[in-house]
Amino acid sequence: MADQPKHEAPQGMEPYDLGKGDDLGALSTEQQEKLNKFKIQTRMENEKYLREHPEVECILAGFLGDALTKRPEDIREFAAEYFTSTDLPGKVQKQLEDRQALLKQNRILQKI
């Protein structure tokens, strides 16, 4: 097995082994550093997007909750029906309102 990289991979991300000599499958130190920077930048952009669009969390949480509760036999068909439902925008709006109310309540409780 190749020696582990001397630098740390970004938190929660798997490092690639740095090869020795003619190991064409391994990354050079420079390539690994560029990859780590790219991973960090991508993660920051994803986090920013998700903070700006809380409806994504509501859609995913709603879908997962329904899927785990109903345990459909054909998950693909269930997902297709869920995401094409005409009721979905209303459900998401309700979840966003509930989320905002909960956040407001939490802020009030923190002040006490």
Side-chain angles (χ1 to χ4, degrees):
M1 180 173 199
D3 294 329
Q4 290 295 320
K6 300 284 188 239
H7 51 72
E8 295 295 318
Q11 179 69 24
M13 296 183 183
E14 293 292 323
Y16 286 92
D17 289 338
L18 297 177
K20 293 182 180 179
D22 295 328
D23 187 357
L24 297 178
L27 299 176
S28 70
T29 302
E30 181 182 348
Q31 289 172 323
Q32 182 66 52
E33 289 173 4
K34 286 182 180 180
L35 178 62
N36 288 347
K37 287 179 184 177
F38 174 76
K39 287 179 176 182
I40 290 169
Q41 184 63 35
T42 301
R43 181 173 277 187
M44 288 174 18
E45 289 170 359
N46 290 346
E47 289 291 329
K48 180 180 177 192
Y49 181 84
L50 291 173
R51 278 194 304 272
E52 292 172 355
H53 298 280
E55 64 274 15
V56 173
E57 180 183 341
C58 292
I59 290 170
L60 292 175
F63 171 71
L64 288 174
D66 280 0
L68 294 172
T69 301
K70 297 176 181 173
R71 298 184 187 266
E73 197 67 32
D74 184 349
I75 190 67
R76 290 180 182 163
E77 182 65 29
F78 178 80
E81 289 175 11
Y82 184 88
F83 289 110
T84 58
S85 169
T86 56
D87 297 338
L88 185 59
K91 286 181 184 179
V92 171
Q93 185 61 40
K94 173 84 169 81
Q95 288 175 321
L96 284 171
E97 291 168 1
D98 292 348
R99 183 178 184 270
Q100 284 299 104
L102 186 60
L103 289 173
K104 184 177 180 180
Q105 182 182 13
N106 286 344
R107 282 192 293 264
I108 290 170
L109 291 175
Q110 287 175 353
K111 291 179 181 179
I112 295 177

